[in-house]
Every structure is written in structure tokens, then in C-alpha cells.
């Protein structure tokens, strides 16, 4: 493979979008080599005017042509394209033996870049690909046959969702309202397949039932993590600023072979131990409220030396012959034994270190320690759930489910397809079927309103599956208790199967109201 210029996609997107806003004109040239398989080179050229852009682009291509001639490489001009990212109606034409055709989009590293930088082409392409994937999944998993619900959910999380979030750091920070709606429409197909619910079931309700965070929230979460952890850029998410300086870089590999580390020679797990001649070092840590203190105590015979310091500096300050006793950590040099004390009681050194650690929380030297990289994942996940909860509380759809599941969680409910139809409403009920003119009446054959609550509590034809009917003021509590009780949900499943198999008996004929 060969490349003249292959810029980083994320930094390029930020630079070009900022340049366009300041009146800059940017042209992207993509060329393909005839040598071997697909090899793509990208040039990003930015100038303040169209004339300068044309001159710089032509000079760049001339220099690149000299390089290809020198190495006896041939570039296919028929497969080369240019994209103009500018407010100009028509930009300069670029020639390389012939005029290079202009396009409105370019695919680079699996992400489609369009000339407006709104990523519309990329999201539309994603929707097409995921639609084909969904069609393939439906061939092996229908609404009531094939793969079970857990496997279908796992397929979505590990395959479909990862395909969608590819390159999210480039196109998902931040997302517009239109992009969020498009992502939710993609996610909806898979949620319907996982739950087996009717196609009119609200997306928000399905997300809470399956414990799946909305896709637009997940995309922004992924984008912030990549920008912070890999690109080391400051990002804002849910009004919280994530500064890369507050988190560790990638961990380095060990500097010695694991076989050299003799664990049994360095750490003693014995409950009883006695101080050895020479220096005896005791360490401990203590956390009070939001402060953590660490201290160590050095004892030699009767003399005691006390310090409040960082534990990391202890390892470098150990003398050639010393024993270290710690209540929670194991420190020491390779040829020095380290004993792990189980309790403080009875050991003056450990008790002294414990008191010093508590004192360090108030009087110790403040030290900033960057948080580990995985900590940002937990923070982003927490903020995503908070954001999801606000959307769920303020939403307009799925209010029946909100009464039963007021709090969104990432763990799925144990509800099966019949319970989902019973709670959400879309199912084999006259009240639902009449909305779409499938039935002319919303009444049960017994004359009452044919809703799920009627069939579960008072219908004369479903007495074998009845639950105790609640009063009007206790109905919300009734729904919560029924849907959290295994026996009640088992009755509901049997009830839904009975209704689906006996529609002629339970539903009046079209045109009849009795």
C-alpha cells in the first residue's frame, strides 16, 4: 500500500467544519490505485479563496504525480473524485490528464463524508445496511419462533449496535434532532424483533422494557469516550466537562517477566506475624467522606518514625533490609518480604499507621491522582441513564408502561411477548383493533369495553384467568404488583393465548354491538 496523505478523520472533520464557518474553502481529493486491491489516498486542501484553492490543489497533484512516476505507480483518474466543502456555488475544477469528477460524498474508513458535513449520507447508508441485517435476522427469528428473546437481544447489542456506532466520534458529536430521530427509527426495527410486540408499540416503552439505552444517547456516549480516551480531547456531555488531564493514559506493560515475581516470597498471608530485627514498616489507608488519606509508620526496635506521605514514594525509599506490613496493599522491593496484616488490633505499628491515615485526610498534603480510563466509562454510563430517565419522564408515549416501570434500567424485564402486549395495549383487544378499523366495535361480546383490564378481571368468558379487580384509585398500584408477580404474569400469558385462539367467541361480529 502507498499513501501520500492520509489525515486523521476526526481531526479532519473538526478542522474542515471550523474552516467552513470562517469562510474557508476546502477541497477533498480521493484517488484510487490500479495496483492490487482497493487502495485509497485522500488529500485535504484548505484555502481562503477559490483561486488559491485551485492553485494549491493543482500543485499538490503535480507533486504527487512526480512521486508516482518515480515509483512506477499508476493512478486511476476514472476512479478519483473531489468533494468541495464550501459555501461557493461552484468551485474550481481540478485536472489530472483529465478533469477529475466531483462528488457530493466520499467513503473513508467506513464513514461516508458529505460536502455539507451533516453526515446525512452516512446515516442513510447505515439505515440501509441495518435494514438488510434486520431482514436476515427475521429469517432466523420471528415474533413467536426461532431464536429466543435473550439471543436476539444479544445479537442486537453485539452486532447491530456496534455496526451503527462505528466512527461515532466523527459523526455523533453532537447529534441533531433529525439525526436522533433517524437513529431511533433504526433501533426500533430491532426492538420490535426482540420483543415480538405489535408494530405500533411506542419505541420508548420498548427501550425501557428491554433495558436498552436509546441509540442517539448511546452514540453520543461512544463519541465522547473515544474523543477523551483516544484523541485526548476535552468533551462535554450532559453539561459535564470531561477533561483528558483528569484521567490516566493507557497503561504500560510490565517491565519484568512474570516468572521472576515470586509472590510467596514477597507476601505472607499468615494471620500471626512478629516484627523482625531491623526496620519494620506499617502502611494503611483511610477514607473519610470524600477524602482518602494514606500513611506509613517505620519502627526500629523501640524507636518509631512516623510519616504521612504517598504510598507510591514508599517503594523507592525502602532501605536494603526492611519488612513491610500493610493492611490493604502489598509493597516492597523484589528481595524484600512483605506481610499482609489481617487486622490492626494488637499490632502497635498497624494501629499507628491507621491513626496517621485518618489524620492525613485532614492534614495531609493534597495530591491529584488521575482517575483510571475505565472510570470515564462508568461516568458516561451513569450520565446516559440520567439523560434517558429525563426523556422517559418527559415523554408523551408509553405512559402505560411508565406507570409500571417509572425508572429506566439497563437490565431487561422478564416479560415475554404476551405480557408486553397486555401492558402496552397493542394486542388482540377490541379497543386496539378498532383504532385501525380492523373491528367495527371496541366492545367485548359481553357488552363491556374490551380492553386488557376487562379480560383480566371481569369478562365472563375468561373467568379461569381472572385476577382480583382493583378499585379506580388503586389501579396504578395493581398494574405494578401484577407485572412483578410471577404467578400473575403466568395467568396473563395464558389469557393472551386464550384470547388469540378464540377471537370468534370473544369478539362480536362486524356490525353487531352485543
Amino acid at each position: 500500500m502507498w499513501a501520500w496523505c492520509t489525515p486523521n478523520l476526526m481531526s479532519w472533520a473538526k478542522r474542515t467544519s471550523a474552516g467552513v464557518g470562517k469562510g474557508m474553502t476546502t477541497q477533498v481529493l480521493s484517488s484510487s490505485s490500479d495496483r492490487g486491491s482497493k487502495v485509497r489516498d485522500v488529500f485535504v486542501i484548505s484555502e481562503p479563496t477559490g483561486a488559491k484553492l485551485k492553485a494549491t490543489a493543482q500543485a499538490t497533484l503535480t507533486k504527487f504525480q512526480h512521486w508516482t512516476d518515480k515509483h512506477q505507480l499508476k493512478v486511476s483518474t476514472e476512479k478519483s473524485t473531489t468533494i468541495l466543502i464550501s459555501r461557493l456555488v461552484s468551485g474550481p475544477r481540478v485536472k489530472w490528464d483529465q478533469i477529475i469528477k466531483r462528488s457530493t460524498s466520499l467513503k473513508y474508513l467506513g464513514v461516508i463524508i458529505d460536502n455539507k458535513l451533516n453526515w446525512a449520507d452516512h446515516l442513510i447508508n447505515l439505515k440501509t445496511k441495518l435494514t438488510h441485517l434486520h431482514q436476515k435476522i427475521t429469517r432466523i427469528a420471528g415474533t413467536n419462533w426461532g431464536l429466543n428473546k435473550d439471543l436476539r437481544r444479544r445479537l442486537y447489542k453485539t452486532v447491530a449496535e456496534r455496526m451503527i456506532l462505528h466512527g461515532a466520534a466523527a459523526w455523533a458529536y453532537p447529534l441533531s434532532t433529525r439525526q436522533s430521530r433517524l437513529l431511533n427509527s433504526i433501533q426500533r426495527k430491532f426492538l420490535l424483533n426482540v420483543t415480538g410486540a405489535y408494530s405500533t408499540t411506542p419505541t420508548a416503552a420498548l427501550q425501557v422494557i428491554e433495558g436498552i439505552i436509546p441509540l442517539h444517547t448511546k452514540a453520543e456516549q461512544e463519541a465522547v469516550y473515544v474523543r477523551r480516551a483516544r484523541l485526548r480531547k476535552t468533551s462535554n456531555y450532559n453539561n459535564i466537562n470531561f477533561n483528558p488531564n483528569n484521567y490516566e493514559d493507557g497503561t504500560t506493560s510490565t517491565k519484568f517477566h512474570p516468572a521472576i515475581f515470586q509472590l510467596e516470597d514477597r507476601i505472607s498471608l499468615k494471620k500471626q506475624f512478629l516484627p523482625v530485627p531491623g526496620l519494620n514498616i506499617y502502611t494503611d489507608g483511610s477514607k473519610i467522606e470524600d477524602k482518602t488519606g494514606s500513611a506509613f509508620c517505620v519502627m526500629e526496635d523501640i524507636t518509631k518514625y512516623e510519616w504521612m506521605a504517598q504510598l507510591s514514594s514508599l517503594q523507592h525509599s525502602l532501605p536494603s533490609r526492611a519488612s513491610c506490613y500493610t493492611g490493604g496493599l502489598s509493597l516492597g522491593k523484589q528481595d524484600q518480604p512483605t506481610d499482609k496484616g489481617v487486622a490492626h488490633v494488637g499490632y502497635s505499628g498497624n494501629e499507628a499507621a491507621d491513626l496517621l491515615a485518618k489524620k492525613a485526610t485532614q492534614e495531609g498534603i493534597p495530591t491529584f491522582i488521575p482517575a483510571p480510563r475505565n472510570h470515564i466509562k462508568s461516568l458516561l454510563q451513569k450520565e446516559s441513564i440520567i439523560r434517558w430517565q429525563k426523556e422517559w419522564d418527559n415523554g408523551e408515549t408509553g405512559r402505560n408502561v411508565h406507570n409500571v416501570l417509572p425508572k429506566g434500567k439497563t437490565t431487561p424485564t422478564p416479560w415475554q411477548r404476551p405480557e408486553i402486549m397486555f401492558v402496552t395495549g397493542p394486542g388482540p383487544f377490541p379497543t386496539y383493533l378498532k383504532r385501525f378499523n380492523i373491528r367495527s366495535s371496541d366492545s367485548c361480546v359481553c357488552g363491556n369495553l374490551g380492553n386488557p383490564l376487562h379480560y383480566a378481571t371481569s369478562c365472563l368468558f375468561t373467568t379461569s384467568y381472572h385476577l382480583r379487580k382493583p378499585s379506580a384509585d388503586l389501579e396504578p398500584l395493581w398494574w405494578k404488583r401484577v407485572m412483578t408477580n410471577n404467578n400473575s404474569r403466568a395467568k396473563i400469558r395464558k389469557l393472551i393465548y386464550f384470547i388469540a385462539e378464540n377471537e370468534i367467541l370473544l369478539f362480536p361480529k362486524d356490525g353487531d354491538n352485543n
Side-chain angles (χ1 to χ4, degrees):
M1 292 184 63
W2 53 274
W4 176 257
C5 177
T6 307
N8 181 277
L9 178 61
M10 276 66 77
S11 60
W12 171 85
K14 181 178 180 181
R15 183 170 63 252
T16 51
S17 60
V20 172
K22 297 179 182 178
M24 298 294 289
T25 302
T26 303
Q27 191 152 15
V28 182
L29 296 91
S30 172
S31 61
S32 299
S33 171
D34 287 339
R35 183 176 179 178
S37 59
K38 295 181 180 179
V39 179
R40 187 174 294 276
D41 301 288
V42 177
F43 298 89
V44 181
I45 304 168
S46 180
E47 292 291 350
T49 63
K52 289 185 177 181
L53 178 66
K54 181 178 181 179
T56 305
Q58 203 64 54
T60 302
L61 288 180
T62 302
K63 188 174 183 179
F64 180 62
Q65 187 175 13
H66 292 162
W67 184 86
T68 56
D69 294 341
K70 178 181 178 181
H71 294 82
Q72 298 180 354
L73 296 173
K74 184 179 179 182
V75 176
S76 175
T77 55
E78 293 80 8
K79 298 179 181 178
S80 300
T81 57
T82 64
I83 300 177
L84 179 66
I85 303 174
S86 173
R87 296 178 181 177
L88 298 175
V89 178
S90 60
R93 295 289 182 179
V94 181
K95 294 183 64 177
W96 187 348
D97 297 335
Q98 62 183 22
I99 296 178
I100 299 177
K101 62 182 179 181
R102 181 177 296 171
S103 177
T104 58
S105 62
L106 167 69
K107 189 173 184 179
Y108 181 68
L109 297 179
V111 178
I112 298 179
I113 309 163
D114 57 84
N115 58 350
K116 296 181 180 179
L117 290 182
N118 58 12
W119 312 103
D121 292 348
H122 177 71
L123 293 178
I124 292 173
N125 180 66
L126 269 182
K127 187 172 183 178
T128 303
K129 289 174 59 177
L130 270 297
T131 300
H132 293 161
L133 176 63
H134 175 261
Q135 292 172 351
K136 293 178 181 179
I137 293 178
T138 55
R139 296 174 186 174
I140 59 174
T143 55
N144 53 7
W145 59 271
L147 298 177
N148 62 41
K149 179 181 174 183
D150 293 336
L151 289 178
R152 281 181 279 182
R153 184 178 185 273
R154 189 176 301 176
L155 271 177
Y156 166 76
K157 294 287 291 183
T158 57
V159 179
E161 189 173 86
R162 300 318 305 170
M163 289 176 60
I164 298 170
L165 298 181
H166 172 71
W171 57 266
Y173 184 81
L175 286 173
S176 64
T177 304
R178 179 176 176 272
Q179 291 172 331
S180 299
R181 287 198 300 265
L182 182 58
L183 289 176
N184 278 335
S185 68
I186 297 174
Q187 187 184 43
R188 176 178 175 80
K189 296 178 181 292
F190 293 92
L191 290 174
L192 291 173
N193 181 264
V194 171
T195 59
Y198 277 39
S199 59
T200 54
T201 307
T203 305
L206 296 177
Q207 291 167 345
V208 174
I209 291 172
E210 286 304 314
I212 295 177
I213 297 177
L215 192 54
H216 66 279
T217 303
K218 192 70 176 178
E220 289 197 32
Q221 174 186 339
E222 181 80 7
V224 171
Y225 176 75
V226 174
R227 288 171 61 87
R228 207 299 314 163
R230 299 181 183 176
L231 303 180
R232 303 290 296 173
K233 292 185 177 181
T234 302
S235 302
N236 187 280
Y237 183 70
N238 206 19
N239 297 325
I240 295 179
N241 189 43
F242 289 89
N243 192 327
N245 297 325
N246 296 336
Y247 302 93
E248 294 178 346
D249 290 333
T251 57
T252 57
S253 58
T254 179
K255 297 181 180 180
F256 57 88
H257 196 275
I260 304 176
F261 186 86
Q262 301 294 333
L263 187 64
E264 62 275 6
D265 295 337
R266 298 186 61 188
I267 299 177
S268 174
L269 301 179
K270 297 179 181 179
K271 294 185 178 181
Q272 299 293 332
F273 60 89
L274 297 174
V276 297
L279 289 179
N280 292 274
I281 304 173
Y282 302 85
T283 70
D284 200 5
S286 178
K287 183 175 182 180
I288 300 177
E289 296 179 352
D290 58 342
K291 298 179 180 180
T292 302
S294 56
F296 65 91
C297 175
V298 182
M299 302 183 68
E300 183 177 11
D301 298 332
I302 303 176
T303 308
K304 179 173 68 174
Y305 308 94
E306 301 176 354
W307 289 276
M308 289 182 294
Q310 294 298 318
L311 286 180
S312 59
S313 63
L314 172 62
Q315 188 173 4
H316 303 287
S317 61
L318 289 177
S320 58
R321 298 184 62 84
S323 297
C324 180
Y325 308 95
T326 175
L329 297 174
S330 300
L331 300 174
K333 295 188 177 179
Q334 186 171 338
D335 57 348
Q336 298 168 350
T338 302
D339 289 330
K340 184 175 181 180
V342 179
H344 301 291
V345 180
Y347 304 106
S348 58
N350 273 344
E351 291 177 352
D354 182 50
L355 292 175
L356 288 172
K358 290 182 171 61
K359 189 177 180 181
T361 59
Q362 304 297 329
E363 303 177 10
I365 302 173
T367 304
F368 173 75
I369 301 177
R373 292 181 65 180
N374 59 353
H375 181 59
I376 191 174
K377 282 189 175 181
S378 61
L379 287 179
L380 288 172
Q381 183 75 356
K382 181 180 178 181
E383 293 301 323
S384 296
I385 294 176
I386 293 174
R387 181 176 175 181
W388 179 24
Q389 185 65 46
K390 290 181 180 179
E391 294 178 358
W392 178 232
D393 292 336
N394 301 327
E396 298 179 356
T397 59
R399 296 302 90 187
N400 292 341
V401 179
H402 187 272
N403 294 333
V404 181
L405 299 174
K407 188 175 181 180
K409 299 179 181 179
T410 54
T411 54
T413 62
W415 299 352
Q416 298 181 17
R417 185 171 183 249
E419 294 105 290
I420 295 174
M421 290 190 292
F422 183 79
V423 175
T424 57
F429 311 110
T431 51
Y432 171 74
L433 299 176
K434 186 179 183 301
R435 288 170 51 193
F436 301 95
N437 296 322
I438 300 176
R439 294 284 177 180
S440 60
S441 173
D442 59 357
S443 300
C444 176
V445 71
C446 63
N448 296 316
L449 188 65
N451 57 19
L453 185 61
H454 165 70
Y455 288 108
T457 58
S458 57
C459 181
L460 298 176
F461 296 92
T462 59
T463 54
S464 300
Y465 313 104
H466 276 185
L467 301 170
R468 181 175 295 180
K469 186 175 182 179
S471 58
D473 55 337
L474 295 178
E475 187 173 324
L477 182 61
W478 180 88
W479 281 96
K480 290 183 180 180
R481 291 187 174 180
V482 165
M483 297 311 298
T484 55
N485 185 278
N486 292 334
N487 294 330
S488 299
R489 287 192 286 108
K491 275 191 174 182
I492 290 173
R493 285 195 293 271
K494 294 178 181 179
L495 171 66
I496 298 300
Y497 291 141
F498 177 79
I499 294 174
E501 294 172 357
N502 298 275
E503 289 187 9
I504 299 177
L505 174 65
L506 297 175
F507 300 163
K509 295 181 180 179
D510 293 343
D512 295 341
N513 293 324
N514 298 321

